[in-house]
Amino acid sequence: MIQENLAQVRENIQEACRKSGRDPKEVVLIAVSKTMPIPMLEEAYSCGCRDFGENKVQEIMDKCPALPSDIRWHMIGHLQRNKVKYIVGKACLIHSVDSLRLAEEISAQAGKKQVEADILVEVNIAQEESKFGISREDTLQLVEDIAKLPHIHIRGLMAIAPFVENPEDNRKYFRQIRELSVDIGAKNIDNVTMSVLSMGMTGDYMVAIEEGATMVRVGTGIFGKRNYH
């Protein structure tokens, strides 16, 4: 099942790139493996997946030693400050930084471990009460504040669009995030590159790619429906 699903997702990515005149090499597929058992990750790995996304620090801690060392782990869920010390140096990219206090903790822990941490700033683009992320209006200020910290580098923005029946409904949000990243990039802030746009999930990743996503986070589309028992 995973092999067929992955083939379909990759084909869809190619199709979205064709439609928007982009090179498929510009788009990283992150297999969202939260709650999935290790054998399923191994199967996805055997089909060529190297980027895996997890929502919980504990799952990365548990899965990382059991799986090949060339996997790139992405922390895509809300990150609490008291868990930062476990994830710095293990995750190749932390997608969900939405406050200066969290960034300061990442910077401090990276300094202790003598590593550099790459992060994305999470923007709550649709202003949903139920979602984490900073408002679009406050994003530039947060980027400027984080950029001054040592051992931490802003690589771009991340957004979780609303859950919608019709992916076209999210096109405007993906476009807004893209425009925001271009505006911030144009300011040439030291220690900031806007090279990554992490947006789009199983229901809407093709639209996200058409609007400029460089990373899409696909879970159900690869692994099937989750059991939360």
Side-chain angles (χ1 to χ4, degrees):
M1 177 189 82
I2 290 173
Q3 189 174 0
E4 292 84 5
N5 289 351
L6 265 170
Q8 184 62 60
V9 170
R10 286 172 175 146
E11 198 176 300
N12 290 346
I13 289 172
Q14 299 245 357
E15 175 59 28
C17 286
R18 263 197 303 276
K19 263 181 87 171
S20 49
R22 296 182 63 196
D23 182 345
K25 291 193 186 72
E26 291 173 19
V27 181
V28 175
L29 171 60
I30 299 173
V32 177
S33 45
K34 62 180 184 182
T35 76
M36 293 298 160
I38 282 168
M40 292 183 82
L41 278 74
E42 287 171 337
E43 191 179 337
Y45 180 91
S46 72
C47 298
C49 281
R50 293 297 178 269
D51 291 271
F52 289 84
E54 291 286 346
N55 270 35
K56 293 193 163 69
V57 170
Q58 191 58 50
E59 282 205 63
I60 295 183
M61 303 282 295
D62 293 344
K63 290 173 179 175
C64 186
L67 287 153
S69 60
D70 62 338
I71 284 177
R72 292 178 291 272
W73 295 98
H74 295 256
M75 179 64 198
I76 59 176
H78 180 62
L79 181 57
Q80 293 163 304
R81 292 199 310 281
N82 62 350
K83 300 274 176 69
V84 166
K85 58 180 176 283
Y86 303 114
I87 202 77
V88 165
K90 275 204 169 64
C92 70
L93 188 61
I94 299 171
H95 290 232
S96 46
V97 177
D98 61 358
S99 73
L100 183 59
R101 287 178 73 197
L102 176 58
E104 286 168 344
E105 183 62 22
I106 293 168
S107 170
Q109 293 297 337
K112 273 187 200 169
K113 293 187 178 190
Q114 298 184 319
V115 295
E116 302 293 306
D118 286 343
I119 66 146
L120 304 179
V121 170
E122 181 177 356
V123 184
N124 185 347
I125 195 66
Q127 298 290 297
E128 291 181 277
E129 291 286 322
S130 60
K131 299 243 170 88
F132 292 102
I134 187 143
S135 71
R136 186 168 48 158
E137 296 70 36
D138 295 334
T139 302
L140 176 60
Q141 185 63 59
L142 180 61
V143 166
E144 288 175 335
D145 291 343
I146 294 173
K148 298 177 183 129
L149 299 171
H151 312 295
I152 186 170
H153 311 288
I154 299 173
R155 299 297 183 204
L157 304 178
M158 182 267 235
I160 301 174
F163 182 77
V164 290
E165 291 296 320
N166 180 1
E168 284 296 330
D169 295 345
N170 280 336
R171 190 178 289 276
K172 62 177 184 274
Y173 296 123
F174 295 141
R175 192 166 288 162
Q176 286 167 10
I177 283 281
R178 166 90 184 136
E179 287 164 357
L180 182 60
S181 81
V182 169
D183 291 347
I184 293 172
K187 297 196 181 300
N188 292 318
I189 304 161
D190 278 349
N191 196 25
V192 176
T193 58
M194 284 284 136
S195 55
V196 177
L197 261 186
S198 170
M199 61 186 192
M201 292 157 70
T202 293
D204 55 18
Y205 64 90
M206 292 180 74
V207 172
I209 289 167
E210 288 169 23
E211 293 301 330
T214 66
M215 287 186 174
V216 291
R217 309 181 302 271
V218 181
T220 310
I222 294 171
F223 296 105
K225 291 267 184 265
R226 281 192 183 78
N227 268 326
Y228 283 109
H229 297 316

